[in-house]
């Protein structure tokens, strides 16, 4: 991990060095002080229910939340030309993807606060694509099956976090400057469907050195008054699948990890608060031995917030790692191997002897998925710090945006040969059911399958037999699930999708509601850039930066190229609207680009997506109540920290304690914490790590073995190499209720003290 000490004015150094003469230097300084825009950043906790809720991403019904690895956040930036001028807001979520219903409800809340200042045209809400966050917040049936329908707690946590992150950014708006930088991230992603990529034209592939995009684009936000950096947002493509389909701890995966590392690095390297310790020459072991567990104690609802290590306030630095054209990019960079033989998987189908479940990708920390998450997160973080410290290209000039809703189930598309084709109603092929090397599917399907057997045809037809039009339209995909023609009990898949272009000077952000493959993203970027250059009267050129913001504003699965579609691997089988889906996106984005380049009015709004909130079905049962054995209080220790007799724990080892607890769904402890590591300073215990730290794990489970549903919280602290020697203890915060309808009561408890050498 980088430990470079760098002041907040580093961005000036290379620029000033390049200037010859005092006049140039003065002009640069004045520019940095005033800035071209109003800028603001915000961040808010969106962790959601840490127990008994299915995770969104792998579609594995057994993968339900059971604790927190580190918390999820919504991170936002707003840029405005003036207090009342044009502006847009970009929000990055530690979530699987954006949701149309989330977007609708966020806009309703913002309208009640700000009128028409923020609207669907100038807000982009993008997911990082972690597969380790609570599900149940999307409104279409196919995305809610494994979560047993709609989960109000998940939904409310995300909507509130987006709203509050935008409110913070809005309240913090101030004159400032924005700098952009780009660079390549090494070994943070490989193509998980290389056989499909090879089907793209040879002359097209020859123009690129890799079968994945390695470029990261970073924005650095600098306060024009204090000349201090307030945030950085970057875009880079790699899947949020470093954490496996067996993981049950809420986690932001590699991008959330990168954000945590970046924000902590900035805080550490820009803090004037020296570490002081008055433990001095006392014997740490003897001191620790005298301090026993506190036992469970009642506290209030907000107690845990006072123990958080990182406070959410106006001075926070916000570092976000956003997703791009991630469709076929895996963070499991060692490749995919067969579990039974240890040999590489079949190249074309990613299976082992016809069994897709045996073919699994390996991350760089294999077999430790948390280590893999850390390594891939660090590779992104380290590049971001390098780009941050060397960013000198300032974004200036116009800010604008274009947005339109389109019915993707029946778009007429004109191809390069002037032939006319159409997109199709949404459908999934058998390759979808096979899953990927990041998370294999089930039921005997393989990637590349274009046939389904009689049994699965019966199952399919019992749900909805596809129309002949749909069968012909989707070819060579065979329709396994005809989601675009299924409306019982409500729509199974989206039909009306948003596309959006945001312009910030020389940067163009393309907001897409899905996962574009590597080559699909390249084609879209090039088409938009060429269109802007041809129609822009010299405003745009080859130095114009184009980034794709994937999984934005709503979700509609994948977008593969026409050539990749032929093989029907997972990404192609999940390209909902047929073989010409990408061509439709390119055609419609070019229309928006022409409108932006020529300064003509945006396309008038003619469609709106449905609000299906009133139709949602929820089958997730609420917690019925908590209890403990007689004589036991909530927060009491069940298993205390174990240390070597007469000795200390060493850095790199784990301190573990288990507490009698309540269901974490009783209270999400938003902007609070379930777990704390405290260090003894004199006679005071100082919070040092919380459940937003990568090294601290909060785990929850229920024990039904005695016939009583007692629950336990286990706190595990992997003692960092950088931990200061001293006396520590583990603290747990929780909430319990005696019945389904009783009010929450809050408790805390601490372990016995232990020493760290």
């Amino acid at each position: 991990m980088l430990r470079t000490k760098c002041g907040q004015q580093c961005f000036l150094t290379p620029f000033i060095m390049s200037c010859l003469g005092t006049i140039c230097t003065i002009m640069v300084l004045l520019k940095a002080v005033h800035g071209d825009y109003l800028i603001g950043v915000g961040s808010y906790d969106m962790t959601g229910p840490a127990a008994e809720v299915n995770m969104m991403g792998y579609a594995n019904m057994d993968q339900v939340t059971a604790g927190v690895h580190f918390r999820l956040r919504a991170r936002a930036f707003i840029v405005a030309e003036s207090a009342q001028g044009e502006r847009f807001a970009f929000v990055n979520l530690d979530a699987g993807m954006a949701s149309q219903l989330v977007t609708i409800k966020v806009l309703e809340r913002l309208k009640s606060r700000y009128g028409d200042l923020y609207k669907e045209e100038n807000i982009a809400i993008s997911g990082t694509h972690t597969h380790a966050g609570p599900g149940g917040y999307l409104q279409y049936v196919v995305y809610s099956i494994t979560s047993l329908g709609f989960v109000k707690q998940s939904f409310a946590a995300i909507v509130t976090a987006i709203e509050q992150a935008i409110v913070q950014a809005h309240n913090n708006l101030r004159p400032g400057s924005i700098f952009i930088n780009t660079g390549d991230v090494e070994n943070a992603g490989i193509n998980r469907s290389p056989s499909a990529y090879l089907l793209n034209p040879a002359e097209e592939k020859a123009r690129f050195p890799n079968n994945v995009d390695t470029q990261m684009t970073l924005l650095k936000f600098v306060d024009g008054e204090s000349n201090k950096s307030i945030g950085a947002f970057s875009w880079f493509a790699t899947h949020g699948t470093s954490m496996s389909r067996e993981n049950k701890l809420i986690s932001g995966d590699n991008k959330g990890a990168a954000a945590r590392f970046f924000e902590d690095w900035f805080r550490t390297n820009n803090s004037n608060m020296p570490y002081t310790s008055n433990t001095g020459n006392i014997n740490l072991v003897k001191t620790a031995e005298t301090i026993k567990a506190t036992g469970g104690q009642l506290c209030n609802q907000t107690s845990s917030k006072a123990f958080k290590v990182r406070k959410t306030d106006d001075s926070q630095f916000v570092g976000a790692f956003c997703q791009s054209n991630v469709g076929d990019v895996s963070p499991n960079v060692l490749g995919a191997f067969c579990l039974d033989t240890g040999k590489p998987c079949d190249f074309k189908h990613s299976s082992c002897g016809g069994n897709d479940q045996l073919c699994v990708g390996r991350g760089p920390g294999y077999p430790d998925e948390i280590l893999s998450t850390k390594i891939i997160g660090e590779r992104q973080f380290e590049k971001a710090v390098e780009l941050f410290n060397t960013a000198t290209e300032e974004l200036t000039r116009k800010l604008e945006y274009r947005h339109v809703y389109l019915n993707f189930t029946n778009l007429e598309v004109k191809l390069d040969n002037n032939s006319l084709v159409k997109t199709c109603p949404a459908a999934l092929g058998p390759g979808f059911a096979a899953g990927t090397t990041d998370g294999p599917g089930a039921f005997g399907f393989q990637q590349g399958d274009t046939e389904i057997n009689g049994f699965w045809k019966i199952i399919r037809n019992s749900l909805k037999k596809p129309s002949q039009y749909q069968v012909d339209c989707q070819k060579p995909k065979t329709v396994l699930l005809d989601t675009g023609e299924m409306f019982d009990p409500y729509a199974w898949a989206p039909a009306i999708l948003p596309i959006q272009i945001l312009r910030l000077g020389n940067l163009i952000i393309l907001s897409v509601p899905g996962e574009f493959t590597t080559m699909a993203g390249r084609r879209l970027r090039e088409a938009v850039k060429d269109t802007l250059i041809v129609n822009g009267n010299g405003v745009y050129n080859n130095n114009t930066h184009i980034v794709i913001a994937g999984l934005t504003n709503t979700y509609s699965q994948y977008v593969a190229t026409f050539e990749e579609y032929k093989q029907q691997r997972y990404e192609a089988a999940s390209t909902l609207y047929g073989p010409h889906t990408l061509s439709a996106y390119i055609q419609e984005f070019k229309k928006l680009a022409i409108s932006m380049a020529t300064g003509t009015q945006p396309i008038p709004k003619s469609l709106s997506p449905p609000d299906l909130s009133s139709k949602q079905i929820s089958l997730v049962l609420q917690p019925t109540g908590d209890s403990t054995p007689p004589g036991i209080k909530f927060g009491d220790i069940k298993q205390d920290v174990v240390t070597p007799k007469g000795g200390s724990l060493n850095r790199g080892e784990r301190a573990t304690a288990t507490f009698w607890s309540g269901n974490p769904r009783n209270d999400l402890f938003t902007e609070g914490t379930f777990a704390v590591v405290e260090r003894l300073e004199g006679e005071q215990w100082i919070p040092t790590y919380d459940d937003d730290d990568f090294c601290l794990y909060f785990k929850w489970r229920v024990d039904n073995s005695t016939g009583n549903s007692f629950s336990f919280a286990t706190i595990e602290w992997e003692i960092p190499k950088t931990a200061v020697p001293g006396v520590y203890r583990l603290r747990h915060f929780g909430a319990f209720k005696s019945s389904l309808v009783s009010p929450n009561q809050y408790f805390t408890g601490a372990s016995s003290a232990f020493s760290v050498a």
Side-chain angles (χ1 to χ4, degrees), residues 128 183-190 212-218 234-239 254-255 321-326 329 376 379-380 383 547-548:
T128 62
D184 291 323
V185 183
E186 295 184 5
N187 202 25
I190 62 169
V212 295
D213 286 337
T214 59
Q215 186 177 87
M216 172 182 283
T217 300
L218 178 137
S234 62
W235 289 263
F236 170 74
T238 194
H239 249 81
N254 57 71
K255 286 191 175 292
F321 288 74
C322 312
Q323 196 55 270
S324 190
N325 52 315
V326 67
V329 187
I376 297 298
R379 288 173 182 172
Q380 295 175 77
K383 176 55 65 173
V547 298
I548 288 177

mmCIF file of all heavy atoms in Angstrom, residues 128 183-190 212-218 234-239 254-255 321-326 329 376 379-380 383 547-548:
data_model
loop_
_atom_site.group_PDB
_atom_site.id
_atom_site.type_symbol
_atom_site.label_atom_id
_atom_site.label_comp_id
_atom_site.label_asym_id
_atom_site.label_seq_id
_atom_site.Cartn_x
_atom_site.Cartn_y
_atom_site.Cartn_z
ATOM 1 N N THR A 128 -21.246 0.203 -8.368
ATOM 2 C CA THR A 128 -19.903 -0.351 -8.542
ATOM 3 C C THR A 128 -19.925 -1.801 -8.983
ATOM 4 O O THR A 128 -18.949 -2.336 -9.459
ATOM 5 C CB THR A 128 -19.102 -0.278 -7.234
ATOM 6 O OG1 THR A 128 -19.767 -1.077 -6.239
ATOM 7 C CG2 THR A 128 -18.941 1.151 -6.759
ATOM 8 N N GLY A 183 -4.390 6.811 -16.766
ATOM 9 C CA GLY A 183 -3.256 5.902 -16.708
ATOM 10 C C GLY A 183 -3.744 4.469 -16.693
ATOM 11 O O GLY A 183 -4.928 4.196 -16.473
ATOM 12 N N ASP A 184 -2.847 3.553 -16.917
ATOM 13 C CA ASP A 184 -3.200 2.140 -17.006
ATOM 14 C C ASP A 184 -3.032 1.443 -15.658
ATOM 15 O O ASP A 184 -2.016 1.613 -14.972
ATOM 16 C CB ASP A 184 -2.335 1.438 -18.051
ATOM 17 C CG ASP A 184 -2.663 1.890 -19.462
ATOM 18 O OD1 ASP A 184 -3.859 2.117 -19.737
ATOM 19 O OD2 ASP A 184 -1.739 2.036 -20.284
ATOM 20 N N VAL A 185 -4.041 0.644 -15.308
ATOM 21 C CA VAL A 185 -3.995 -0.187 -14.107
ATOM 22 C C VAL A 185 -3.520 -1.575 -14.528
ATOM 23 O O VAL A 185 -4.113 -2.208 -15.397
ATOM 24 C CB VAL A 185 -5.378 -0.289 -13.442
ATOM 25 C CG1 VAL A 185 -5.286 -1.093 -12.149
ATOM 26 C CG2 VAL A 185 -5.955 1.093 -13.173
ATOM 27 N N GLU A 186 -2.472 -2.036 -13.899
ATOM 28 C CA GLU A 186 -1.890 -3.315 -14.288
ATOM 29 C C GLU A 186 -2.504 -4.472 -13.499
ATOM 30 O O GLU A 186 -2.659 -4.397 -12.284
ATOM 31 C CB GLU A 186 -0.376 -3.299 -14.080
ATOM 32 C CG GLU A 186 0.360 -2.311 -14.977
ATOM 33 C CD GLU A 186 1.866 -2.397 -14.810
ATOM 34 O OE1 GLU A 186 2.332 -3.285 -14.066
ATOM 35 O OE2 GLU A 186 2.563 -1.572 -15.426
ATOM 36 N N ASN A 187 -2.874 -5.520 -14.230
ATOM 37 C CA ASN A 187 -3.247 -6.806 -13.645
ATOM 38 C C ASN A 187 -4.392 -6.704 -12.641
ATOM 39 O O ASN A 187 -4.362 -7.326 -11.587
ATOM 40 C CB ASN A 187 -2.031 -7.457 -12.985
ATOM 41 C CG ASN A 187 -2.193 -8.962 -12.829
ATOM 42 O OD1 ASN A 187 -2.947 -9.593 -13.568
ATOM 43 N ND2 ASN A 187 -1.484 -9.537 -11.872
ATOM 44 N N ALA A 188 -5.409 -5.929 -12.989
ATOM 45 C CA ALA A 188 -6.598 -5.838 -12.130
ATOM 46 C C ALA A 188 -7.834 -6.409 -12.816
ATOM 47 O O ALA A 188 -8.925 -6.314 -12.278
ATOM 48 C CB ALA A 188 -6.851 -4.389 -11.727
ATOM 49 N N GLY A 189 -7.663 -6.985 -13.994
ATOM 50 C CA GLY A 189 -8.793 -7.583 -14.693
ATOM 51 C C GLY A 189 -8.330 -8.401 -15.879
ATOM 52 O O GLY A 189 -7.344 -8.056 -16.538
ATOM 53 N N ILE A 190 -9.029 -9.517 -16.121
ATOM 54 C CA ILE A 190 -8.800 -10.322 -17.325
ATOM 55 C C ILE A 190 -10.140 -10.558 -18.000
ATOM 56 O O ILE A 190 -11.199 -10.411 -17.384
ATOM 57 C CB ILE A 190 -8.134 -11.675 -17.011
ATOM 58 C CG1 ILE A 190 -9.041 -12.526 -16.099
ATOM 59 C CG2 ILE A 190 -6.762 -11.475 -16.391
ATOM 60 C CD1 ILE A 190 -8.578 -13.953 -15.953
ATOM 61 N N VAL A 212 -8.947 -6.534 -22.627
ATOM 62 C CA VAL A 212 -9.703 -5.744 -21.653
ATOM 63 C C VAL A 212 -9.161 -4.322 -21.687
ATOM 64 O O VAL A 212 -8.022 -4.094 -22.104
ATOM 65 C CB VAL A 212 -9.603 -6.310 -20.218
ATOM 66 C CG1 VAL A 212 -10.254 -7.669 -20.115
ATOM 67 C CG2 VAL A 212 -8.155 -6.359 -19.752
ATOM 68 N N ASP A 213 -9.974 -3.367 -21.259
ATOM 69 C CA ASP A 213 -9.502 -1.987 -21.139
ATOM 70 C C ASP A 213 -8.766 -1.825 -19.818
ATOM 71 O O ASP A 213 -9.285 -2.197 -18.756
ATOM 72 C CB ASP A 213 -10.678 -1.009 -21.189
ATOM 73 C CG ASP A 213 -11.247 -0.861 -22.592
ATOM 74 O OD1 ASP A 213 -10.514 -1.128 -23.552
ATOM 75 O OD2 ASP A 213 -12.431 -0.503 -22.720
ATOM 76 N N THR A 214 -7.583 -1.266 -19.883
ATOM 77 C CA THR A 214 -6.767 -1.090 -18.678
ATOM 78 C C THR A 214 -6.736 0.353 -18.190
ATOM 79 O O THR A 214 -6.175 0.627 -17.134
ATOM 80 C CB THR A 214 -5.320 -1.548 -18.944
ATOM 81 O OG1 THR A 214 -4.773 -0.777 -20.019
ATOM 82 C CG2 THR A 214 -5.277 -3.028 -19.299
ATOM 83 N N GLN A 215 -7.332 1.277 -18.935
ATOM 84 C CA GLN A 215 -7.215 2.689 -18.583
ATOM 85 C C GLN A 215 -8.146 3.084 -17.448
ATOM 86 O O GLN A 215 -9.323 2.731 -17.434
ATOM 87 C CB GLN A 215 -7.504 3.580 -19.787
ATOM 88 C CG GLN A 215 -7.242 5.066 -19.505
ATOM 89 C CD GLN A 215 -7.467 5.941 -20.709
ATOM 90 O OE1 GLN A 215 -8.572 6.402 -20.985
ATOM 91 N NE2 GLN A 215 -6.398 6.175 -21.461
ATOM 92 N N MET A 216 -7.587 3.818 -16.509
ATOM 93 C CA MET A 216 -8.364 4.479 -15.461
ATOM 94 C C MET A 216 -8.389 5.969 -15.766
ATOM 95 O O MET A 216 -7.369 6.560 -16.132
ATOM 96 C CB MET A 216 -7.742 4.244 -14.081
ATOM 97 C CG MET A 216 -8.389 5.057 -12.956
ATOM 98 S SD MET A 216 -7.605 4.815 -11.326
ATOM 99 C CE MET A 216 -8.283 3.209 -10.883
ATOM 100 N N THR A 217 -9.565 6.579 -15.634
ATOM 101 C CA THR A 217 -9.713 8.029 -15.763
ATOM 102 C C THR A 217 -10.111 8.590 -14.413
ATOM 103 O O THR A 217 -11.077 8.106 -13.799
ATOM 104 C CB THR A 217 -10.779 8.380 -16.815
ATOM 105 O OG1 THR A 217 -10.389 7.839 -18.082
ATOM 106 C CG2 THR A 217 -10.948 9.881 -16.941
ATOM 107 N N LEU A 218 -9.379 9.591 -13.950
ATOM 108 C CA LEU A 218 -9.607 10.133 -12.604
ATOM 109 C C LEU A 218 -9.859 11.629 -12.655
ATOM 110 O O LEU A 218 -9.191 12.364 -13.385
ATOM 111 C CB LEU A 218 -8.407 9.836 -11.705
ATOM 112 C CG LEU A 218 -8.469 10.391 -10.280
ATOM 113 C CD1 LEU A 218 -7.989 9.355 -9.263
ATOM 114 C CD2 LEU A 218 -7.642 11.673 -10.138
ATOM 115 N N SER A 234 -12.937 8.102 -9.933
ATOM 116 C CA SER A 234 -12.264 7.450 -11.058
ATOM 117 C C SER A 234 -13.166 6.393 -11.662
ATOM 118 O O SER A 234 -14.062 5.854 -11.001
ATOM 119 C CB SER A 234 -10.948 6.817 -10.597
ATOM 120 O OG SER A 234 -11.194 5.809 -9.629
ATOM 121 N N TRP A 235 -12.891 6.089 -12.947
ATOM 122 C CA TRP A 235 -13.630 5.057 -13.680
ATOM 123 C C TRP A 235 -12.635 4.027 -14.210
ATOM 124 O O TRP A 235 -11.631 4.379 -14.836
ATOM 125 C CB TRP A 235 -14.415 5.662 -14.847
ATOM 126 C CG TRP A 235 -15.588 6.485 -14.426
ATOM 127 C CD1 TRP A 235 -16.886 6.081 -14.352
ATOM 128 C CD2 TRP A 235 -15.591 7.860 -14.032
ATOM 129 N NE1 TRP A 235 -17.693 7.114 -13.923
ATOM 130 C CE2 TRP A 235 -16.918 8.224 -13.719
ATOM 131 C CE3 TRP A 235 -14.583 8.826 -13.913
ATOM 132 C CZ2 TRP A 235 -17.271 9.493 -13.305
ATOM 133 C CZ3 TRP A 235 -14.927 10.094 -13.483
ATOM 134 C CH2 TRP A 235 -16.252 10.423 -13.185
ATOM 135 N N PHE A 236 -12.932 2.761 -13.948
ATOM 136 C CA PHE A 236 -12.096 1.666 -14.424
ATOM 137 C C PHE A 236 -12.944 0.402 -14.419
ATOM 138 O O PHE A 236 -13.777 0.200 -13.523
ATOM 139 C CB PHE A 236 -10.868 1.491 -13.520
ATOM 140 C CG PHE A 236 -10.069 0.245 -13.801
ATOM 141 C CD1 PHE A 236 -9.267 0.166 -14.929
ATOM 142 C CD2 PHE A 236 -10.145 -0.853 -12.953
ATOM 143 C CE1 PHE A 236 -8.538 -0.986 -15.202
ATOM 144 C CE2 PHE A 236 -9.418 -2.001 -13.206
ATOM 145 C CZ PHE A 236 -8.612 -2.066 -14.339
ATOM 146 N N ALA A 237 -12.722 -0.469 -15.398
ATOM 147 C CA ALA A 237 -13.573 -1.646 -15.575
ATOM 148 C C ALA A 237 -12.956 -2.896 -14.959
ATOM 149 O O ALA A 237 -11.926 -3.375 -15.422
ATOM 150 C CB ALA A 237 -13.828 -1.879 -17.065
ATOM 151 N N THR A 238 -13.584 -3.387 -13.896
ATOM 152 C CA THR A 238 -13.337 -4.743 -13.401
ATOM 153 C C THR A 238 -14.513 -5.139 -12.525
ATOM 154 O O THR A 238 -15.079 -4.307 -11.814
ATOM 155 C CB THR A 238 -12.007 -4.865 -12.636
ATOM 156 O OG1 THR A 238 -11.684 -6.247 -12.480
ATOM 157 C CG2 THR A 238 -12.048 -4.194 -11.283
ATOM 158 N N HIS A 239 -14.896 -6.407 -12.593
ATOM 159 C CA HIS A 239 -16.085 -6.863 -11.889
ATOM 160 C C HIS A 239 -15.910 -6.810 -10.361
ATOM 161 O O HIS A 239 -14.797 -6.975 -9.846
ATOM 162 C CB HIS A 239 -16.423 -8.306 -12.293
ATOM 163 C CG HIS A 239 -17.674 -8.422 -13.095
ATOM 164 N ND1 HIS A 239 -17.715 -8.182 -14.453
ATOM 165 C CD2 HIS A 239 -18.942 -8.748 -12.744
ATOM 166 C CE1 HIS A 239 -18.951 -8.375 -14.892
ATOM 167 N NE2 HIS A 239 -19.712 -8.707 -13.876
ATOM 168 N N ASN A 254 -13.800 -5.134 -4.368
ATOM 169 C CA ASN A 254 -12.514 -4.480 -4.634
ATOM 170 C C ASN A 254 -12.631 -2.967 -4.831
ATOM 171 O O ASN A 254 -11.734 -2.220 -4.449
ATOM 172 C CB ASN A 254 -11.794 -5.144 -5.809
ATOM 173 C CG ASN A 254 -12.591 -5.164 -7.079
ATOM 174 O OD1 ASN A 254 -12.806 -4.135 -7.720
ATOM 175 N ND2 ASN A 254 -13.037 -6.356 -7.492
ATOM 176 N N LYS A 255 -13.725 -2.492 -5.419
ATOM 177 C CA LYS A 255 -13.863 -1.051 -5.609
ATOM 178 C C LYS A 255 -14.184 -0.334 -4.291
ATOM 179 O O LYS A 255 -13.678 0.764 -4.022
ATOM 180 C CB LYS A 255 -14.910 -0.741 -6.676
ATOM 181 C CG LYS A 255 -14.411 -1.045 -8.077
ATOM 182 C CD LYS A 255 -15.323 -0.497 -9.149
ATOM 183 C CE LYS A 255 -14.724 -0.730 -10.529
ATOM 184 N NZ LYS A 255 -13.505 0.070 -10.763
ATOM 185 N N PHE A 321 -14.561 4.931 -6.615
ATOM 186 C CA PHE A 321 -14.061 4.108 -7.710
ATOM 187 C C PHE A 321 -15.266 3.564 -8.471
ATOM 188 O O PHE A 321 -15.957 2.651 -8.013
ATOM 189 C CB PHE A 321 -13.171 2.993 -7.166
ATOM 190 C CG PHE A 321 -11.849 3.504 -6.666
ATOM 191 C CD1 PHE A 321 -11.767 4.203 -5.466
ATOM 192 C CD2 PHE A 321 -10.696 3.330 -7.409
ATOM 193 C CE1 PHE A 321 -10.557 4.703 -5.010
ATOM 194 C CE2 PHE A 321 -9.476 3.827 -6.966
ATOM 195 C CZ PHE A 321 -9.410 4.513 -5.767
ATOM 196 N N CYS A 322 -15.513 4.158 -9.630
ATOM 197 C CA CYS A 322 -16.733 3.910 -10.386
ATOM 198 C C CYS A 322 -16.507 2.814 -11.427
ATOM 199 O O CYS A 322 -15.388 2.531 -11.843
ATOM 200 C CB CYS A 322 -17.197 5.197 -11.064
ATOM 201 S SG CYS A 322 -17.240 6.640 -9.963
ATOM 202 N N GLN A 323 -17.612 2.235 -11.860
ATOM 203 C CA GLN A 323 -17.558 1.125 -12.808
ATOM 204 C C GLN A 323 -17.642 1.631 -14.240
ATOM 205 O O GLN A 323 -18.183 2.709 -14.500
ATOM 206 C CB GLN A 323 -18.706 0.151 -12.518
ATOM 207 C CG GLN A 323 -18.565 -1.195 -13.146
ATOM 208 C CD GLN A 323 -17.261 -1.895 -12.815
ATOM 209 O OE1 GLN A 323 -16.272 -1.742 -13.536
ATOM 210 N NE2 GLN A 323 -17.249 -2.651 -11.718
ATOM 211 N N SER A 324 -17.133 0.826 -15.167
ATOM 212 C CA SER A 324 -17.146 1.203 -16.582
ATOM 213 C C SER A 324 -17.688 0.032 -17.417
ATOM 214 O O SER A 324 -18.600 -0.655 -16.979
ATOM 215 C CB SER A 324 -15.737 1.618 -17.017
ATOM 216 O OG SER A 324 -15.755 2.208 -18.300
ATOM 217 N N ASN A 325 -17.111 -0.205 -18.609
ATOM 218 C CA ASN A 325 -17.608 -1.293 -19.464
ATOM 219 C C ASN A 325 -17.021 -2.607 -18.976
ATOM 220 O O ASN A 325 -16.065 -3.150 -19.479
ATOM 221 C CB ASN A 325 -17.271 -1.045 -20.933
ATOM 222 C CG ASN A 325 -15.805 -0.745 -21.182
ATOM 223 O OD1 ASN A 325 -15.203 0.038 -20.466
ATOM 224 N ND2 ASN A 325 -15.242 -1.341 -22.219
ATOM 225 N N VAL A 326 -17.721 -3.164 -17.979
ATOM 226 C CA VAL A 326 -17.197 -4.250 -17.160
ATOM 227 C C VAL A 326 -17.661 -5.626 -17.619
ATOM 228 O O VAL A 326 -17.248 -6.634 -17.068
ATOM 229 C CB VAL A 326 -17.633 -4.008 -15.690
ATOM 230 C CG1 VAL A 326 -19.138 -4.150 -15.545
ATOM 231 C CG2 VAL A 326 -16.907 -4.926 -14.735
ATOM 232 N N VAL A 329 -15.123 -8.527 -17.901
ATOM 233 C CA VAL A 329 -13.865 -8.318 -17.187
ATOM 234 C C VAL A 329 -13.968 -8.880 -15.770
ATOM 235 O O VAL A 329 -14.831 -8.477 -15.002
ATOM 236 C CB VAL A 329 -13.489 -6.829 -17.120
ATOM 237 C CG1 VAL A 329 -12.100 -6.673 -16.516
ATOM 238 C CG2 VAL A 329 -13.550 -6.193 -18.497
ATOM 239 N N ILE A 376 -6.720 -6.556 -5.439
ATOM 240 C CA ILE A 376 -7.316 -5.867 -6.597
ATOM 241 C C ILE A 376 -7.716 -4.448 -6.206
ATOM 242 O O ILE A 376 -7.571 -3.504 -6.991
ATOM 243 C CB ILE A 376 -8.517 -6.651 -7.144
ATOM 244 C CG1 ILE A 376 -8.076 -8.027 -7.659
ATOM 245 C CG2 ILE A 376 -9.194 -5.876 -8.268
ATOM 246 C CD1 ILE A 376 -7.088 -7.989 -8.806
ATOM 247 N N ARG A 379 -4.500 -2.354 -6.165
ATOM 248 C CA ARG A 379 -3.986 -2.029 -7.499
ATOM 249 C C ARG A 379 -4.730 -0.839 -8.086
ATOM 250 O O ARG A 379 -4.129 0.011 -8.756
ATOM 251 C CB ARG A 379 -4.072 -3.262 -8.400
ATOM 252 C CG ARG A 379 -3.049 -4.327 -8.022
ATOM 253 C CD ARG A 379 -3.216 -5.633 -8.773
ATOM 254 N NE ARG A 379 -2.217 -6.605 -8.293
ATOM 255 C CZ ARG A 379 -2.186 -7.888 -8.634
ATOM 256 N NH1 ARG A 379 -3.114 -8.385 -9.453
ATOM 257 N NH2 ARG A 379 -1.242 -8.681 -8.156
ATOM 258 N N GLN A 380 -6.030 -0.754 -7.853
ATOM 259 C CA GLN A 380 -6.786 0.414 -8.305
ATOM 260 C C GLN A 380 -6.438 1.643 -7.467
ATOM 261 O O GLN A 380 -6.250 2.743 -8.001
ATOM 262 C CB GLN A 380 -8.288 0.118 -8.238
ATOM 263 C CG GLN A 380 -8.734 -0.974 -9.197
ATOM 264 C CD GLN A 380 -10.198 -1.332 -9.013
ATOM 265 O OE1 GLN A 380 -11.088 -0.603 -9.453
ATOM 266 N NE2 GLN A 380 -10.457 -2.464 -8.375
ATOM 267 N N LYS A 383 -2.914 3.145 -8.349
ATOM 268 C CA LYS A 383 -2.936 3.913 -9.598
ATOM 269 C C LYS A 383 -3.677 5.232 -9.395
ATOM 270 O O LYS A 383 -3.263 6.280 -9.915
ATOM 271 C CB LYS A 383 -3.572 3.094 -10.713
ATOM 272 C CG LYS A 383 -3.726 3.827 -12.035
ATOM 273 C CD LYS A 383 -2.414 4.406 -12.560
ATOM 274 C CE LYS A 383 -1.411 3.340 -12.901
ATOM 275 N NZ LYS A 383 -0.203 3.913 -13.559
ATOM 276 N N VAL A 547 -15.591 8.510 -21.102
ATOM 277 C CA VAL A 547 -15.678 7.380 -20.180
ATOM 278 C C VAL A 547 -17.096 6.829 -20.191
ATOM 279 O O VAL A 547 -18.064 7.562 -20.430
ATOM 280 C CB VAL A 547 -15.283 7.766 -18.739
ATOM 281 C CG1 VAL A 547 -13.842 8.237 -18.670
ATOM 282 C CG2 VAL A 547 -16.228 8.795 -18.155
ATOM 283 N N ILE A 548 -17.182 5.535 -19.950
ATOM 284 C CA ILE A 548 -18.478 4.875 -19.810
ATOM 285 C C ILE A 548 -18.742 4.661 -18.328
ATOM 286 O O ILE A 548 -17.903 4.091 -17.618
ATOM 287 C CB ILE A 548 -18.504 3.539 -20.561
ATOM 288 C CG1 ILE A 548 -18.531 3.789 -22.074
ATOM 289 C CG2 ILE A 548 -19.702 2.693 -20.141
ATOM 290 C CD1 ILE A 548 -18.478 2.525 -22.909
#
